[in-house]
Amino acid sequence: MTSNIRYKSRIPVKTEDSMEEKQYVGFATLPNQVHRKSVKKGFDFTLMVAGESGMGKSTLVNSLFLTDLYKDRKLLNAEERINQTVEIIKHTVDIEEKGVKLKLTIVDTPGFGDAVNNNECWKPITDYIDQQFEQYFRDESGLNRKNIQDNRVHCCLYFIPPFGHGLRPVDVEFMKALHEKVNIIPLIAKADCLTPNEIKKLKDRVREEIDKFGIKVYQFPECDSDEDEEFKQLDKELKECTPFAVIGSNTVVEARGQRVRGRLYPWGIVEVENQSHCDFVKLRNMLIRSHMHDLKDVTCDVHYENYRAQCIQEMTSKLAQDNRMESPIPILPLSTPDVDTEKLIKMKDEELKRMQEMLNKMQQQMHDKDQ
Amino acid sequence: MFFVIFLSTRGVFSGGSTLLGYIGIDTIIEQMRKKTMKTGFDFNIMVVGPSGLGKSTLVNTLFKSQVSRKSAGWARDEKIPKTVEIKSVSHVIEEGGVKMKLTIVDTPGFGDQINNDNCWEPISKYINEQFEKFLKEEVNITRKKRIPDTRVHCCLYFIPPTGHCLRQLDVEFMRRLSHSVNIIPVIAKSDTMTIEERQEFKQRVRKELENNGIEFYPQKEFDDDMEDKSDNDKIRETMPFAVVGSDKEHQVNGKRVLGRKTAWGIIEVENPNHCEFAQLRDFLIRSHLQDLKEVTHNIHYETYRAKRLNDNGGLHPISSNDTQESNL
C-alpha cells in the first residue's frame, strides 16, 4: 500500500474544491467493478453432505436452497443395501437471485455408515475430494487455463445423529480423515427430537470431543476491529452456537396464522425458520449470506495449497528415487490424468527396458565372441 | 363321577339352581393367585440397541421406577465399550401385594463401533448360557424346588427412527435371534417423526421383517386359539410400537404427566395420540407378561433343550466351559 492510503474511504463527491478532485484517483470504485464482473460471470459453490441414512440431509438441502433436488430418488431397503458401497452422486442446479447467478453443486454420499462393517467407509469420499484437487492441479499446470472448471469441494456438512451422547467412533474417524482436505461444518441433525436442555448438553459434549480429538472444523474468521458492535455480537453468538442443531422440512404448515416451512406434530408445530426452535436460520445465513466466499477462500488458500504442496513433494521425491535407481528411461509426471494412456505408456516403457537389456546382452555376447 | 361334577358346575353358573351342591372347584384360581403372590414372579428383560436411543429411560418409564443400570450410579458419561458387554441389574418391585424380581439386561456397545460385524454374538451367547444354566438345574438328580429363572423372557430391540427403513444391522440381529428369544421391536425416540412419517416407516419395517422371515413376538405360529389370534393380529398390525420415554413430569391441563418439554409443545408419554408408549406398556406388562414367560419356557427353551440333547445323545449335562455350543 502506498501513500494513497488516505483515499481509502473517500467517496467521489463533486466538490468545488478542485485541488481535492485532482488528487482523487478513483480506484475506490474497484470493489464495484469486481462486483459487476463477478455478477456477470456468476459464482459456483460445491457443497458436500455426509452422514448416515435418514439424518435428513436431503430435506435440509432442499430447505436451504428452496429447491427440490431429490424428486426422483428411490430409497433402497435393507436387503438392497447389503453389498452397496459408498457412492458419490452429484446434483447440479443453477439458481438466480436478483441478477446473481449461482451454480450450486451438491455432492451426496449415500451408503456412508450404513453397513454393518463401516471400516474406512470414508475412503471413497476422501478419494473423491483428492480427485477434484488433482484435476484442478493439472488444469492449473496445463497450457489452456481459460476455462478451468472448479469442482473442488468448498464445504462439507457432516450430520451427527442426535440420538447419541456425543460423537461416535465413526464420526471421529470421518472428521479426522477429512479435516485437512475440506471445510467441515458439523451439524446436529433432526434436532426436533431434543429438548433445549438436551441440545445444550449435546453441543457442549460435541465441542469438547472435537477439541479432545484435535479435529479441525471450519472456524469462522475473526471480525475486523472496525466492524460495528451489532455485527460483532452476531458473530459471537454464531460461534457459540456451533455445532448448529438443525431441522429441515419440505412441507409448508400453518402456524400462528402464517404459512411456514415446518413439521406438524400432535403436540405442536416445529417451525424451521424460527430461531427459538432450531439453528437453521443461523446455518443458512452463515453458509450463504456471510461466509460462502470465505469457505471458497479457505478451500483455495489452505486445503488446496496443502494438497498441492504434498503432491509436488511426492513427485520430486519419486523423481529423485528413480534417478538413484538408474533407470534408462526417466519417468516424467504426465500432464494428462488419462488412466488408459498412462497404462499404455507404462507398458511401452517396460518393453523398451526389455529391449535395452537384450541389446546389452547381445553386445556383451559379441564382445565375448570377438575376444 | 366326572359327568356329575360337570353337571353341578353348570348348575352353579346358570343362576344358582343348585342341582347337586356347590363343590368349589373354581376356588382353585384363588388358591393359585395367593400362592403366586407369595412366591412372586421373575421377569428378565433385555434391551438392545445403539447407545443414546433412550433404552434406560424407557425401561424406567415402563416400570415407573429407577430400575435401569444407568440409574444405579450416574454413569452418563461412560465411554462406549470396544466390544459388546452384557450387564444386568435386578430389582424387586411390588405392586398390589404382588412381588416381581425384575432383571434388566443391558447390552452397551451394541452397534456403536465402526465395524459391527458379529456384535450379536455376545448376546446370543448370553441367552444360550441362561438356557444352559436352567437345563443343568433341571437335569440334576436333586433339583431345587423352584429353579431360579435367569432366562431372557423378552428382548426389546430399539430401531433408530431414521424414517427410511431397517438397517442391515437390525435385520442381521433380529434374523439370528428371533428363534432364541422373544423379540419385541420398538421405534425409539419416535418424537422425531410426524404421524404420517411414523405410519410409513412402520409399514416399511413390517414389510422388511416379513420379507426376511423374521417373526417377532407375538409369533403367529404360537397363537393358541381364535381369540388369541384376533387379539394378537391387532397387536401385530401396530407393531413396532413407536415410543417416547421420559422420567420427568410436567404440568399439562392441570395434571402432572410424564413428558418431554420442547419449545413447541409438551410430548406426553402416556397420551395415545402422541406416542404408543401406553400400548407397549399394556401389551408388555398388563396382558402378555405371563405369555412371554410361557413362550420362553415352552418353546425357546424346549428348542434349545432338544438340540442339546440331540447333539450329545444323552442326558448328561456338559460343563459350561465346553465351547461346542449349538449355534441357534
Side-chain angles (χ1 to χ4, degrees), chain A residues 54 76 78-79 116-118 163 169 173 190 193 195 198 263-270, chain B residues 52 112 114-117 162 165-166 191-194 197 208 212 260-261 264-265 267 273-274:
Chain A
L76 303 173
E79 236 172 77
V116 176
N117 181 354
N118 291 312
F163 314 127
E173 291 303 310
K190 292 197 170 178
C193 82
T195 63
E198 291 168 349
R263 292 171 63 71
L264 176 62
Y265 290 112
W267 46 86
I269 298 178
V270 178
Chain B
D112 287 330
I114 296 179
N115 181 354
N116 290 311
D117 272 339
T162 55
C165 59
L166 287 180
D191 51 343
T192 308
M193 296 189 283
T194 61
E197 289 168 354
E208 280 209 68
N212 283 293
R260 288 169 61 72
K261 185 156 186 216
W264 43 88
I267 303 160
N273 294 329
H274 287 191

mmCIF file of all heavy atoms in Angstrom, chain A residues 54 76 78-79 116-118 163 169 173 190 193 195 198 263-270, chain B residues 52 112 114-117 162 165-166 191-194 197 208 212 260-261 264-265 267 273-274:
data_model
loop_
_atom_site.group_PDB
_atom_site.id
_atom_site.type_symbol
_atom_site.label_atom_id
_atom_site.label_comp_id
_atom_site.label_asym_id
_atom_site.label_seq_id
_atom_site.Cartn_x
_atom_site.Cartn_y
_atom_site.Cartn_z
ATOM 1 N N GLY A 54 -31.041 -41.309 6.594
ATOM 2 C CA GLY A 54 -32.138 -40.980 7.485
ATOM 3 C C GLY A 54 -31.824 -39.847 8.435
ATOM 4 O O GLY A 54 -32.527 -39.647 9.410
ATOM 5 N N LEU A 76 -33.582 -47.354 -1.063
ATOM 6 C CA LEU A 76 -33.375 -48.796 -1.070
ATOM 7 C C LEU A 76 -33.763 -49.385 0.271
ATOM 8 O O LEU A 76 -33.638 -48.737 1.294
ATOM 9 C CB LEU A 76 -31.894 -49.112 -1.310
ATOM 10 C CG LEU A 76 -31.283 -48.549 -2.579
ATOM 11 C CD1 LEU A 76 -29.800 -48.806 -2.571
ATOM 12 C CD2 LEU A 76 -31.909 -49.193 -3.790
ATOM 13 N N ALA A 78 -33.322 -52.573 3.254
ATOM 14 C CA ALA A 78 -32.126 -53.117 3.902
ATOM 15 C C ALA A 78 -31.453 -54.188 3.053
ATOM 16 O O ALA A 78 -30.235 -54.259 2.972
ATOM 17 C CB ALA A 78 -32.479 -53.676 5.270
ATOM 18 N N GLU A 79 -32.270 -55.024 2.402
ATOM 19 C CA GLU A 79 -31.681 -56.093 1.604
ATOM 20 C C GLU A 79 -30.880 -55.542 0.448
ATOM 21 O O GLU A 79 -29.793 -55.997 0.136
ATOM 22 C CB GLU A 79 -32.805 -56.939 1.019
ATOM 23 C CG GLU A 79 -32.695 -58.396 1.355
ATOM 24 C CD GLU A 79 -33.938 -59.129 0.896
ATOM 25 O OE1 GLU A 79 -34.057 -59.384 -0.314
ATOM 26 O OE2 GLU A 79 -34.771 -59.386 1.757
ATOM 27 N N VAL A 116 -22.917 -52.923 8.185
ATOM 28 C CA VAL A 116 -22.598 -53.462 9.499
ATOM 29 C C VAL A 116 -21.130 -53.170 9.792
ATOM 30 O O VAL A 116 -20.760 -52.730 10.866
ATOM 31 C CB VAL A 116 -22.859 -54.984 9.533
ATOM 32 C CG1 VAL A 116 -22.443 -55.557 10.867
ATOM 33 C CG2 VAL A 116 -24.324 -55.268 9.293
ATOM 34 N N ASN A 117 -20.288 -53.386 8.760
ATOM 35 C CA ASN A 117 -18.872 -53.097 8.910
ATOM 36 C C ASN A 117 -18.546 -51.834 8.143
ATOM 37 O O ASN A 117 -18.539 -51.821 6.926
ATOM 38 C CB ASN A 117 -18.047 -54.272 8.371
ATOM 39 C CG ASN A 117 -16.565 -54.025 8.539
ATOM 40 O OD1 ASN A 117 -16.141 -52.949 8.957
ATOM 41 N ND2 ASN A 117 -15.773 -55.032 8.223
ATOM 42 N N ASN A 118 -18.300 -50.763 8.882
ATOM 43 C CA ASN A 118 -18.081 -49.486 8.210
ATOM 44 C C ASN A 118 -16.628 -49.071 8.192
ATOM 45 O O ASN A 118 -16.326 -47.882 8.107
ATOM 46 C CB ASN A 118 -18.887 -48.381 8.906
ATOM 47 C CG ASN A 118 -20.358 -48.562 8.682
ATOM 48 O OD1 ASN A 118 -20.784 -48.781 7.560
ATOM 49 N ND2 ASN A 118 -21.137 -48.489 9.744
ATOM 50 N N PHE A 163 -29.209 -38.847 18.514
ATOM 51 C CA PHE A 163 -29.612 -39.880 19.446
ATOM 52 C C PHE A 163 -28.517 -40.256 20.398
ATOM 53 O O PHE A 163 -28.765 -40.833 21.423
ATOM 54 C CB PHE A 163 -30.061 -41.137 18.693
ATOM 55 C CG PHE A 163 -30.979 -40.835 17.547
ATOM 56 C CD1 PHE A 163 -30.699 -41.306 16.290
ATOM 57 C CD2 PHE A 163 -32.106 -40.068 17.733
ATOM 58 C CE1 PHE A 163 -31.539 -41.025 15.227
ATOM 59 C CE2 PHE A 163 -32.954 -39.784 16.673
ATOM 60 C CZ PHE A 163 -32.661 -40.266 15.418
ATOM 61 N N PRO A 169 -17.570 -43.312 17.344
ATOM 62 C CA PRO A 169 -16.267 -43.585 16.708
ATOM 63 C C PRO A 169 -16.251 -43.276 15.210
ATOM 64 O O PRO A 169 -15.282 -42.724 14.709
ATOM 65 C CB PRO A 169 -16.081 -45.093 16.946
ATOM 66 C CG PRO A 169 -16.875 -45.365 18.171
ATOM 67 C CD PRO A 169 -18.024 -44.431 18.158
ATOM 68 N N GLU A 173 -13.642 -40.663 13.326
ATOM 69 C CA GLU A 173 -12.731 -41.114 12.263
ATOM 70 C C GLU A 173 -12.983 -40.374 10.960
ATOM 71 O O GLU A 173 -12.059 -40.004 10.250
ATOM 72 C CB GLU A 173 -12.886 -42.617 12.045
ATOM 73 C CG GLU A 173 -12.366 -43.453 13.194
ATOM 74 C CD GLU A 173 -10.914 -43.175 13.496
ATOM 75 O OE1 GLU A 173 -10.089 -43.180 12.571
ATOM 76 O OE2 GLU A 173 -10.596 -42.924 14.679
ATOM 77 N N LYS A 190 -31.812 -33.511 12.805
ATOM 78 C CA LYS A 190 -33.118 -33.827 13.394
ATOM 79 C C LYS A 190 -33.225 -33.308 14.826
ATOM 80 O O LYS A 190 -33.581 -34.036 15.747
ATOM 81 C CB LYS A 190 -33.338 -35.341 13.366
ATOM 82 C CG LYS A 190 -33.515 -35.863 11.959
ATOM 83 C CD LYS A 190 -34.123 -37.237 11.945
ATOM 84 C CE LYS A 190 -34.517 -37.621 10.535
ATOM 85 N NZ LYS A 190 -35.069 -38.939 10.420
ATOM 86 N N CYS A 193 -35.961 -33.668 18.019
ATOM 87 C CA CYS A 193 -36.248 -34.724 18.977
ATOM 88 C C CYS A 193 -35.541 -34.456 20.286
ATOM 89 O O CYS A 193 -35.531 -35.297 21.182
ATOM 90 C CB CYS A 193 -35.879 -36.083 18.409
ATOM 91 S SG CYS A 193 -34.163 -36.477 18.548
ATOM 92 N N THR A 195 -34.881 -31.761 23.667
ATOM 93 C CA THR A 195 -35.350 -30.589 24.392
ATOM 94 C C THR A 195 -34.208 -29.569 24.422
ATOM 95 O O THR A 195 -33.058 -29.937 24.203
ATOM 96 C CB THR A 195 -35.722 -30.955 25.832
ATOM 97 O OG1 THR A 195 -34.540 -31.404 26.497
ATOM 98 C CG2 THR A 195 -36.763 -32.059 25.880
ATOM 99 N N GLU A 198 -31.265 -30.663 26.398
ATOM 100 C CA GLU A 198 -30.508 -31.759 25.794
ATOM 101 C C GLU A 198 -29.647 -31.254 24.651
ATOM 102 O O GLU A 198 -28.518 -31.717 24.464
ATOM 103 C CB GLU A 198 -31.471 -32.845 25.286
ATOM 104 C CG GLU A 198 -32.172 -33.596 26.404
ATOM 105 C CD GLU A 198 -33.330 -34.452 25.918
ATOM 106 O OE1 GLU A 198 -33.728 -34.316 24.752
ATOM 107 O OE2 GLU A 198 -33.849 -35.240 26.723
ATOM 108 N N ARG A 263 -42.866 -28.739 10.590
ATOM 109 C CA ARG A 263 -43.274 -30.120 10.793
ATOM 110 C C ARG A 263 -44.429 -30.120 11.774
ATOM 111 O O ARG A 263 -44.349 -29.528 12.844
ATOM 112 C CB ARG A 263 -42.102 -30.929 11.361
ATOM 113 C CG ARG A 263 -40.978 -31.100 10.367
ATOM 114 C CD ARG A 263 -39.775 -31.698 11.002
ATOM 115 N NE ARG A 263 -40.014 -33.023 11.515
ATOM 116 C CZ ARG A 263 -40.195 -34.114 10.793
ATOM 117 N NH1 ARG A 263 -40.166 -34.031 9.490
ATOM 118 N NH2 ARG A 263 -40.399 -35.275 11.364
ATOM 119 N N LEU A 264 -45.495 -30.827 11.397
ATOM 120 C CA LEU A 264 -46.695 -30.831 12.199
ATOM 121 C C LEU A 264 -46.732 -32.072 13.078
ATOM 122 O O LEU A 264 -46.767 -33.197 12.600
ATOM 123 C CB LEU A 264 -47.917 -30.818 11.274
ATOM 124 C CG LEU A 264 -49.287 -30.907 11.957
ATOM 125 C CD1 LEU A 264 -49.479 -29.716 12.858
ATOM 126 C CD2 LEU A 264 -50.379 -30.942 10.907
ATOM 127 N N TYR A 265 -46.703 -31.867 14.381
ATOM 128 C CA TYR A 265 -46.807 -32.972 15.330
ATOM 129 C C TYR A 265 -48.109 -32.846 16.094
ATOM 130 O O TYR A 265 -48.680 -31.758 16.155
ATOM 131 C CB TYR A 265 -45.658 -32.904 16.339
ATOM 132 C CG TYR A 265 -44.302 -33.228 15.790
ATOM 133 C CD1 TYR A 265 -43.329 -32.243 15.679
ATOM 134 C CD2 TYR A 265 -43.976 -34.523 15.408
ATOM 135 C CE1 TYR A 265 -42.080 -32.547 15.205
ATOM 136 C CE2 TYR A 265 -42.730 -34.828 14.932
ATOM 137 C CZ TYR A 265 -41.778 -33.845 14.834
ATOM 138 O OH TYR A 265 -40.544 -34.149 14.368
ATOM 139 N N PRO A 266 -48.546 -33.933 16.745
ATOM 140 C CA PRO A 266 -49.772 -33.792 17.545
ATOM 141 C C PRO A 266 -49.582 -32.830 18.710
ATOM 142 O O PRO A 266 -50.546 -32.317 19.259
ATOM 143 C CB PRO A 266 -50.013 -35.209 18.090
ATOM 144 C CG PRO A 266 -49.215 -36.114 17.264
ATOM 145 C CD PRO A 266 -48.077 -35.330 16.722
ATOM 146 N N TRP A 267 -48.347 -32.627 19.148
ATOM 147 C CA TRP A 267 -48.133 -31.779 20.309
ATOM 148 C C TRP A 267 -47.680 -30.380 19.955
ATOM 149 O O TRP A 267 -47.370 -29.581 20.825
ATOM 150 C CB TRP A 267 -47.094 -32.420 21.235
ATOM 151 C CG TRP A 267 -45.892 -32.916 20.512
ATOM 152 C CD1 TRP A 267 -44.781 -32.199 20.176
ATOM 153 C CD2 TRP A 267 -45.662 -34.239 20.029
ATOM 154 N NE1 TRP A 267 -43.882 -32.987 19.522
ATOM 155 C CE2 TRP A 267 -44.396 -34.264 19.405
ATOM 156 C CE3 TRP A 267 -46.407 -35.423 20.055
ATOM 157 C CZ2 TRP A 267 -43.851 -35.405 18.814
ATOM 158 C CZ3 TRP A 267 -45.872 -36.561 19.468
ATOM 159 C CH2 TRP A 267 -44.616 -36.536 18.861
ATOM 160 N N GLY A 268 -47.601 -30.075 18.699
ATOM 161 C CA GLY A 268 -47.166 -28.715 18.352
ATOM 162 C C GLY A 268 -46.582 -28.673 16.958
ATOM 163 O O GLY A 268 -46.478 -29.688 16.272
ATOM 164 N N ILE A 269 -46.229 -27.472 16.560
ATOM 165 C CA ILE A 269 -45.668 -27.312 15.214
ATOM 166 C C ILE A 269 -44.249 -26.795 15.346
ATOM 167 O O ILE A 269 -43.999 -25.801 16.035
ATOM 168 C CB ILE A 269 -46.500 -26.300 14.404
ATOM 169 C CG1 ILE A 269 -47.919 -26.837 14.254
ATOM 170 C CG2 ILE A 269 -45.875 -26.077 13.026
ATOM 171 C CD1 ILE A 269 -48.828 -25.897 13.509
ATOM 172 N N VAL A 270 -43.318 -27.467 14.699
ATOM 173 C CA VAL A 270 -41.934 -27.018 14.694
ATOM 174 C C VAL A 270 -41.720 -26.167 13.455
ATOM 175 O O VAL A 270 -41.986 -26.614 12.347
ATOM 176 C CB VAL A 270 -40.974 -28.218 14.634
ATOM 177 C CG1 VAL A 270 -39.547 -27.724 14.584
ATOM 178 C CG2 VAL A 270 -41.192 -29.114 15.819
ATOM 179 N N GLY B 52 -27.641 -44.272 23.244
ATOM 180 C CA GLY B 52 -28.315 -42.996 23.074
ATOM 181 C C GLY B 52 -29.730 -43.089 22.567
ATOM 182 O O GLY B 52 -30.359 -42.072 22.309
ATOM 183 N N ASP B 112 -22.340 -49.736 18.167
ATOM 184 C CA ASP B 112 -21.692 -48.439 18.303
ATOM 185 C C ASP B 112 -20.356 -48.331 17.606
ATOM 186 O O ASP B 112 -19.824 -47.247 17.461
ATOM 187 C CB ASP B 112 -21.468 -48.125 19.794
ATOM 188 C CG ASP B 112 -22.773 -47.768 20.474
ATOM 189 O OD1 ASP B 112 -23.658 -47.219 19.810
ATOM 190 O OD2 ASP B 112 -22.877 -48.044 21.671
ATOM 191 N N ILE B 114 -17.335 -48.872 14.605
ATOM 192 C CA ILE B 114 -17.263 -48.654 13.168
ATOM 193 C C ILE B 114 -17.509 -49.988 12.472
ATOM 194 O O ILE B 114 -18.247 -50.089 11.505
ATOM 195 C CB ILE B 114 -15.888 -48.083 12.781
ATOM 196 C CG1 ILE B 114 -15.719 -46.713 13.430
ATOM 197 C CG2 ILE B 114 -15.768 -47.954 11.277
ATOM 198 C CD1 ILE B 114 -14.405 -46.060 13.134
ATOM 199 N N ASN B 115 -16.880 -51.038 13.026
ATOM 200 C CA ASN B 115 -17.093 -52.354 12.455
ATOM 201 C C ASN B 115 -17.941 -53.163 13.416
ATOM 202 O O ASN B 115 -17.485 -53.553 14.479
ATOM 203 C CB ASN B 115 -15.743 -53.041 12.232
ATOM 204 C CG ASN B 115 -15.909 -54.410 11.620
ATOM 205 O OD1 ASN B 115 -17.015 -54.903 11.453
ATOM 206 N ND2 ASN B 115 -14.798 -55.031 11.272
ATOM 207 N N ASN B 116 -19.190 -53.383 13.055
ATOM 208 C CA ASN B 116 -20.090 -54.073 13.965
ATOM 209 C C ASN B 116 -20.310 -55.526 13.603
ATOM 210 O O ASN B 116 -21.320 -56.112 13.981
ATOM 211 C CB ASN B 116 -21.449 -53.353 13.984
ATOM 212 C CG ASN B 116 -21.353 -52.017 14.662
ATOM 213 O OD1 ASN B 116 -20.810 -51.914 15.742
ATOM 214 N ND2 ASN B 116 -21.851 -50.982 13.997
ATOM 215 N N ASP B 117 -19.386 -56.084 12.842
ATOM 216 C CA ASP B 117 -19.532 -57.492 12.473
ATOM 217 C C ASP B 117 -19.668 -58.359 13.709
ATOM 218 O O ASP B 117 -18.893 -58.233 14.647
ATOM 219 C CB ASP B 117 -18.288 -57.959 11.693
ATOM 220 C CG ASP B 117 -18.457 -57.699 10.202
ATOM 221 O OD1 ASP B 117 -19.602 -57.565 9.758
ATOM 222 O OD2 ASP B 117 -17.430 -57.623 9.514
ATOM 223 N N THR B 162 -34.917 -43.500 11.716
ATOM 224 C CA THR B 162 -34.389 -42.809 10.550
ATOM 225 C C THR B 162 -35.503 -42.385 9.617
ATOM 226 O O THR B 162 -35.352 -41.451 8.845
ATOM 227 C CB THR B 162 -33.455 -43.725 9.752
ATOM 228 O OG1 THR B 162 -34.168 -44.914 9.428
ATOM 229 C CG2 THR B 162 -32.238 -44.076 10.563
ATOM 230 N N CYS B 165 -35.856 -47.042 6.494
ATOM 231 C CA CYS B 165 -36.185 -48.458 6.608
ATOM 232 C C CYS B 165 -35.207 -49.081 7.582
ATOM 233 O O CYS B 165 -34.392 -48.381 8.161
ATOM 234 C CB CYS B 165 -36.067 -49.145 5.260
ATOM 235 S SG CYS B 165 -34.429 -49.008 4.578
ATOM 236 N N LEU B 166 -35.276 -50.382 7.742
ATOM 237 C CA LEU B 166 -34.364 -51.053 8.664
ATOM 238 C C LEU B 166 -32.940 -50.997 8.144
ATOM 239 O O LEU B 166 -32.704 -50.982 6.955
ATOM 240 C CB LEU B 166 -34.757 -52.527 8.806
ATOM 241 C CG LEU B 166 -36.017 -52.823 9.620
ATOM 242 C CD1 LEU B 166 -36.244 -54.314 9.654
ATOM 243 C CD2 LEU B 166 -35.842 -52.303 11.033
ATOM 244 N N ASP B 191 -40.451 -39.231 18.765
ATOM 245 C CA ASP B 191 -40.940 -37.851 18.638
ATOM 246 C C ASP B 191 -40.217 -37.109 17.519
ATOM 247 O O ASP B 191 -40.461 -35.931 17.290
ATOM 248 C CB ASP B 191 -40.833 -37.085 19.970
ATOM 249 C CG ASP B 191 -39.467 -37.180 20.599
ATOM 250 O OD1 ASP B 191 -38.688 -38.066 20.223
ATOM 251 O OD2 ASP B 191 -39.177 -36.372 21.486
ATOM 252 N N THR B 192 -39.314 -37.828 16.838
ATOM 253 C CA THR B 192 -38.652 -37.239 15.673
ATOM 254 C C THR B 192 -39.563 -37.263 14.456
ATOM 255 O O THR B 192 -39.330 -36.537 13.498
ATOM 256 C CB THR B 192 -37.426 -38.096 15.308
ATOM 257 O OG1 THR B 192 -36.657 -38.257 16.459
ATOM 258 C CG2 THR B 192 -36.614 -37.466 14.230
ATOM 259 N N MET B 193 -40.552 -38.147 14.476
ATOM 260 C CA MET B 193 -41.338 -38.332 13.256
ATOM 261 C C MET B 193 -42.748 -37.791 13.418
ATOM 262 O O MET B 193 -43.351 -37.924 14.477
ATOM 263 C CB MET B 193 -41.417 -39.833 12.942
ATOM 264 C CG MET B 193 -40.059 -40.422 12.645
ATOM 265 S SD MET B 193 -40.182 -42.087 12.021
ATOM 266 C CE MET B 193 -40.490 -42.975 13.494
ATOM 267 N N THR B 194 -43.285 -37.241 12.331
ATOM 268 C CA THR B 194 -44.688 -36.850 12.351
ATOM 269 C C THR B 194 -45.527 -38.123 12.204
ATOM 270 O O THR B 194 -45.002 -39.190 11.908
ATOM 271 C CB THR B 194 -45.032 -35.919 11.177
ATOM 272 O OG1 THR B 194 -44.790 -36.628 9.962
ATOM 273 C CG2 THR B 194 -44.185 -34.663 11.209
ATOM 274 N N GLU B 197 -45.172 -39.850 8.821
ATOM 275 C CA GLU B 197 -43.851 -40.466 8.650
ATOM 276 C C GLU B 197 -43.777 -41.748 9.455
ATOM 277 O O GLU B 197 -43.212 -42.746 9.022
ATOM 278 C CB GLU B 197 -42.758 -39.495 9.105
ATOM 279 C CG GLU B 197 -42.575 -38.319 8.178
ATOM 280 C CD GLU B 197 -41.706 -37.229 8.784
ATOM 281 O OE1 GLU B 197 -41.346 -37.350 9.977
ATOM 282 O OE2 GLU B 197 -41.396 -36.272 8.066
ATOM 283 N N GLU B 208 -40.324 -55.305 5.636
ATOM 284 C CA GLU B 208 -38.961 -55.830 5.588
ATOM 285 C C GLU B 208 -38.791 -57.016 6.514
ATOM 286 O O GLU B 208 -38.099 -57.970 6.188
ATOM 287 C CB GLU B 208 -37.978 -54.743 6.004
ATOM 288 C CG GLU B 208 -37.692 -53.798 4.903
ATOM 289 C CD GLU B 208 -36.327 -53.217 5.020
ATOM 290 O OE1 GLU B 208 -35.354 -53.960 4.853
ATOM 291 O OE2 GLU B 208 -36.252 -52.016 5.288
ATOM 292 N N ASN B 212 -37.818 -60.843 5.294
ATOM 293 C CA ASN B 212 -36.640 -61.554 5.786
ATOM 294 C C ASN B 212 -37.004 -62.724 6.670
ATOM 295 O O ASN B 212 -36.128 -63.319 7.292
ATOM 296 C CB ASN B 212 -35.744 -60.579 6.557
ATOM 297 C CG ASN B 212 -34.963 -59.701 5.610
ATOM 298 O OD1 ASN B 212 -34.110 -60.181 4.894
ATOM 299 N ND2 ASN B 212 -35.278 -58.417 5.588
ATOM 300 N N ARG B 260 -41.931 -34.754 27.708
ATOM 301 C CA ARG B 260 -40.760 -34.014 27.282
ATOM 302 C C ARG B 260 -41.200 -32.622 26.881
ATOM 303 O O ARG B 260 -42.110 -32.474 26.068
ATOM 304 C CB ARG B 260 -40.138 -34.711 26.063
ATOM 305 C CG ARG B 260 -39.467 -36.000 26.408
ATOM 306 C CD ARG B 260 -39.105 -36.758 25.169
ATOM 307 N NE ARG B 260 -38.183 -36.024 24.313
ATOM 308 C CZ ARG B 260 -36.914 -35.827 24.591
ATOM 309 N NH1 ARG B 260 -36.411 -36.274 25.711
ATOM 310 N NH2 ARG B 260 -36.147 -35.147 23.762
ATOM 311 N N LYS B 261 -40.530 -31.625 27.444
ATOM 312 C CA LYS B 261 -40.948 -30.258 27.164
ATOM 313 C C LYS B 261 -40.027 -29.632 26.141
ATOM 314 O O LYS B 261 -38.832 -29.507 26.347
ATOM 315 C CB LYS B 261 -40.886 -29.452 28.467
ATOM 316 C CG LYS B 261 -41.403 -28.048 28.326
ATOM 317 C CD LYS B 261 -41.850 -27.513 29.643
ATOM 318 C CE LYS B 261 -42.490 -26.151 29.417
ATOM 319 N NZ LYS B 261 -42.213 -25.251 30.462
ATOM 320 N N TRP B 264 -41.931 -26.098 21.362
ATOM 321 C CA TRP B 264 -43.171 -26.033 20.600
ATOM 322 C C TRP B 264 -44.281 -26.865 21.216
ATOM 323 O O TRP B 264 -45.335 -27.026 20.630
ATOM 324 C CB TRP B 264 -42.934 -26.486 19.154
ATOM 325 C CG TRP B 264 -42.088 -27.692 19.042
ATOM 326 C CD1 TRP B 264 -42.497 -28.989 19.072
ATOM 327 C CD2 TRP B 264 -40.664 -27.740 18.927
ATOM 328 N NE1 TRP B 264 -41.428 -29.837 18.965
ATOM 329 C CE2 TRP B 264 -40.281 -29.100 18.877
ATOM 330 C CE3 TRP B 264 -39.665 -26.765 18.859
ATOM 331 C CZ2 TRP B 264 -38.963 -29.500 18.768
ATOM 332 C CZ3 TRP B 264 -38.356 -27.180 18.748
ATOM 333 C CH2 TRP B 264 -38.009 -28.532 18.711
ATOM 334 N N GLY B 265 -44.068 -27.418 22.377
ATOM 335 C CA GLY B 265 -45.145 -28.190 22.989
ATOM 336 C C GLY B 265 -44.603 -29.235 23.936
ATOM 337 O O GLY B 265 -43.399 -29.438 24.038
ATOM 338 N N ILE B 267 -44.585 -33.176 24.866
ATOM 339 C CA ILE B 267 -44.888 -34.508 24.356
ATOM 340 C C ILE B 267 -45.246 -35.368 25.552
ATOM 341 O O ILE B 267 -44.423 -35.587 26.435
ATOM 342 C CB ILE B 267 -43.664 -35.092 23.652
ATOM 343 C CG1 ILE B 267 -43.223 -34.148 22.532
ATOM 344 C CG2 ILE B 267 -43.986 -36.461 23.083
ATOM 345 C CD1 ILE B 267 -41.814 -34.360 22.094
ATOM 346 N N ASN B 273 -52.376 -40.294 21.633
ATOM 347 C CA ASN B 273 -52.293 -39.501 20.408
ATOM 348 C C ASN B 273 -50.873 -39.062 20.111
ATOM 349 O O ASN B 273 -50.569 -38.633 19.013
ATOM 350 C CB ASN B 273 -53.159 -38.234 20.522
ATOM 351 C CG ASN B 273 -54.620 -38.576 20.609
ATOM 352 O OD1 ASN B 273 -55.045 -39.571 20.050
ATOM 353 N ND2 ASN B 273 -55.370 -37.763 21.327
ATOM 354 N N HIS B 274 -50.020 -39.117 21.134
ATOM 355 C CA HIS B 274 -48.667 -38.627 20.927
ATOM 356 C C HIS B 274 -47.712 -39.755 20.567
ATOM 357 O O HIS B 274 -46.911 -39.627 19.661
ATOM 358 C CB HIS B 274 -48.162 -37.905 22.191
ATOM 359 C CG HIS B 274 -48.807 -36.579 22.400
ATOM 360 N ND1 HIS B 274 -48.367 -35.672 23.320
ATOM 361 C CD2 HIS B 274 -49.857 -35.979 21.784
ATOM 362 C CE1 HIS B 274 -49.106 -34.581 23.276
ATOM 363 N NE2 HIS B 274 -50.014 -34.750 22.361
#
